[in-house]
Amino acid sequence: MSEYQVQNPATGEVVEEFPTATDEQIRDALERSHKAYLSWRDTPVEERTAVLRRVAEIYTERAEELAGIIGLEMGKAVPEGVAEVKICNRIYNYFADNAAAFIEDELLRGPAGDDQAYLLRKPVGSLLGIMPWNFPYYQVARFAAPNLALGNTIILKHAPQCPRSAAMMEQIFVDAGLPADAYINVYATNDQVSEVILPSPLNQGVSLTGSERAGSAVAAAAGKNLKKVVLELGGSDPFVVLDTDDIDATVETMFGTRMGNNGQACNSPKRMIIMDDIYDEVATKIAEKAKALIPADPYADPGKLSPLSSISAAERFVGQVEETVKDGATVLAGGERIEGPGAYVQPVVLTDVKKGNAGYYDELFGPAFMLFRVADDDEAVTLANDTPFGLGSAVFATDRGRAEKVADRLEAGMVYINTPEASREFLPFGGVKRSGIGRELGPLAMDEFCNKQMVYKKA
């Protein structure tokens, strides 16, 4: 059985398999990627960004087709898949519009005189991207767009369950006019990453979005070979509700945000921290909404509950829930596998999750709501920061000043005030603590794999 295969999570059926690359094919890809870099780096930025504009157009033109591919690969409802494609359009256009300004020479201020010093921003070479299954197009776009705009080239290892979308992205770059081998899709193994790609002098760095375990392994291999890394490793984001003048609207926001992509998002708000005076009503309403969701095929009825990404993902998620309950948590709704074929799980609402409980520090990667009752703002902040992760966070209050004071005390790479998590092309994305290293998107993205070359001219 091939490691790379399309298995419909709604039925469990294996639809197609793809051959894993040989070591020789991986070495050939490295050679070709480096050779492409030698010309792509010298291509005027206006020509590089013209390719990105065409990529953006193609994503829009093929939105329904692209959404259908990932619906079959990892169970994403078609409307959500179309929305993901639209985000990709904005990302490619954003870097097409702004790349020239982002790499302008930067004058370095110093003592008055005739001497002159400045920074040049230059590409570094062929990069490896290791991307996850939960947002197959978006994750690639936020890595590929800034680096291709800068003049780097890319070898992309996608998740084994996303081989069709991986191949489609490579084809889109070809169709958009990207020079041959500036972007190469490889069906590589984890061993080939650590033993063939990262040790190669032709590779200049790696960006990974995935689990802590994967990030630790890749960072170790990269460090051994002195390669730059960017890591986005998930989170246990707090969603802090200090007060509300519309509980129904607040619950709708909380539920809709958490259930985006069926809860399978690194920056999904996984811990709902709620003030005591509104906690009971919020908990009751969230449990009612969780119980009401009905499973459906993401193609046939995308307005209902989609499957998790795979049978193994569903089994792993239910196992986490069962362990959390065994340790003392209370279930208000759901948490079981739904009978029948496919990777369907009823959304679970958990309370009484205490320190020492299996779910307190772990990331529950699926449709899980963990509800926490707090008495005041200080308790909310303490609880919000009591996590090894530090990716995103959200604070809601009718008094925006109060929300801002709480937000300022949160240990997270991203903070949202009176709005849930927001994936925007102009907002830098990344975290602190065990949520990773580096930033993607926004004006910071092009500085990650960039030679900030200092030039000093003596008068």
Side-chain angles (χ1 to χ4, degrees):
M1 179 182 293
S2 171
E3 181 177 342
Y4 285 83
Q5 59 179 248
V6 178
Q7 183 176 29
N8 185 350
T11 65
E13 175 192 6
V14 175
V15 178
E16 186 178 7
E17 295 187 1
F18 293 72
T20 302
T22 65
D23 288 358
E24 187 56 39
Q25 288 172 325
I26 297 295
R27 294 188 184 95
D28 178 66
L30 284 161
E31 293 280 356
R32 290 187 287 121
S33 183
H34 175 69
K35 184 177 179 180
Y37 163 70
L38 297 178
S39 59
W40 183 242
R41 68 180 179 182
D42 294 328
T43 302
V45 66
E46 294 79 13
E47 294 182 27
R48 297 198 298 261
T49 55
V51 172
L52 297 188
R53 289 188 209 283
R54 181 57 189 144
V55 169
E57 292 172 353
I58 294 173
Y59 269 86
T60 298
E61 293 165 3
R62 302 181 187 175
E64 290 290 339
E65 176 189 6
L66 293 169
I69 290 172
I70 60 175
L72 186 62
E73 287 181 329
M74 48 74 64
K76 182 168 293 187
V78 171
E80 288 195 48
V82 170
E84 180 178 337
V85 171
K86 289 181 179 178
I87 295 174
C88 294
N89 171 281
R90 296 199 301 268
I91 291 171
Y92 286 111
N93 274 323
Y94 173 79
F95 287 102
D97 291 341
N98 294 286
F102 289 161
I103 61 174
E104 285 183 349
D105 297 352
E106 180 182 348
L107 182 66
L108 299 176
R109 303 293 178 182
D114 294 328
D115 294 357
Q116 189 177 44
Y118 49 91
L119 287 181
L120 304 180
R121 285 177 166 80
K122 296 182 175 182
V124 294
S126 174
L127 306 174
L128 172 65
I130 304 174
M131 296 296 138
W133 48 262
N134 56 340
F135 291 91
Y137 303 122
Y138 163 72
Q139 299 285 1
V140 172
R142 68 188 200 183
F143 166 62
N147 283 298
L148 289 174
L150 179 61
N152 294 317
T153 55
I154 288 170
I155 293 176
L156 202 291
K157 178 203 177 303
H158 219 313
Q161 71 195 79
C162 296
R164 280 189 182 177
S165 54
M168 177 60 77
M169 281 182 279
E170 183 181 50
Q171 186 60 50
I172 287 174
F173 282 115
V174 171
D175 294 345
L178 187 70
D181 300 328
Y183 180 102
I184 302 173
N185 173 60
V186 294
Y187 297 130
T189 66
N190 293 336
D191 286 344
Q192 287 171 331
V193 167
S194 60
E195 297 172 10
V196 181
I197 300 178
L198 292 180
S200 171
L202 301 179
N203 168 264
Q204 303 303 324
V206 56
S207 177
L208 175 142
T209 297
S211 66
E212 283 184 88
R213 179 179 175 183
S216 178
V218 168
K224 179 180 178 181
N225 293 285
L226 299 179
K227 301 296 175 68
K228 169 71 183 288
V229 297
V230 169
L231 304 173
E232 195 271 275
L233 305 179
S236 185
D237 293 8
F239 189 112
V240 181
V241 182
L242 302 176
D243 62 33
T244 178
D245 54 12
D246 189 338
I247 285 184
D248 287 339
T250 299
V251 168
E252 190 69 32
T253 298
M254 295 170 74
F255 193 83
T257 303
R258 182 66 180 109
M259 287 303 298
N261 204 33
N262 213 359
Q264 300 167 116
C266 299
N267 60 330
S268 177
K270 300 179 178 71
R271 296 177 297 140
M272 309 301 184
I273 299 171
I274 308 158
M275 283 294 160
D276 180 74
D277 59 332
I278 59 174
Y279 177 91
D280 290 332
E281 187 173 358
V282 169
T284 298
K285 289 180 180 293
I286 286 181
E288 289 172 351
K289 293 179 76 67
K291 293 174 183 177
L293 278 181
I294 300 172
D297 188 304
Y299 289 98
D301 196 350
K304 295 186 171 64
L305 182 65
S306 297
L308 291 188
S309 63
S310 65
I311 301 295
S312 60
E315 292 173 346
R316 184 167 53 252
F317 175 75
V318 171
Q320 285 184 298
V321 171
E322 291 175 345
E323 192 68 23
T324 302
V325 173
K326 180 181 177 181
D327 286 348
T330 300
V331 177
L332 297 187
E336 307 91 6
R337 284 284 300 277
I338 295 174
E339 290 187 11
Y344 292 92
V345 177
Q346 196 68 36
V348 63
V349 181
L350 297 167
T351 62
D352 304 316
V353 181
K354 310 292 186 184
K355 276 192 175 184
N357 188 295
Y360 188 84
Y361 287 126
D362 292 344
E363 180 181 25
L364 297 183
F365 211 67
F369 296 80
M370 289 195 295
L371 309 184
F372 296 87
R373 185 195 301 263
V374 292
D376 54 38
D377 294 8
D378 288 341
E379 187 178 0
V381 170
T382 299
L383 180 58
N385 289 337
D386 189 15
T387 171
F389 297 104
L391 189 56
S393 58
V395 182
F396 281 71
T398 54
D399 180 348
R400 193 169 72 176
R402 179 187 179 191
E404 290 174 350
K405 288 180 181 178
V406 168
D408 188 55
R409 299 167 63 191
L410 298 182
E411 298 167 356
M414 302 174 288
V415 180
Y416 302 94
I417 297 173
N418 286 339
T419 185
E421 57 83 21
S423 296
R424 301 289 187 271
E425 65 279 4
F426 58 91
L427 299 177
F429 190 105
V432 295
K433 299 195 280 190
R434 296 190 68 83
S435 285
I437 302 167
R439 293 296 183 269
E440 296 177 303
L441 300 178
L444 305 183
M446 290 181 69
D447 276 353
E448 290 294 348
F449 296 101
C450 173
N451 175 14
K452 303 178 193 69
Q453 185 180 70
M454 188 280 296
V455 178
Y456 179 68
K457 294 181 179 180
K458 184 69 176 175

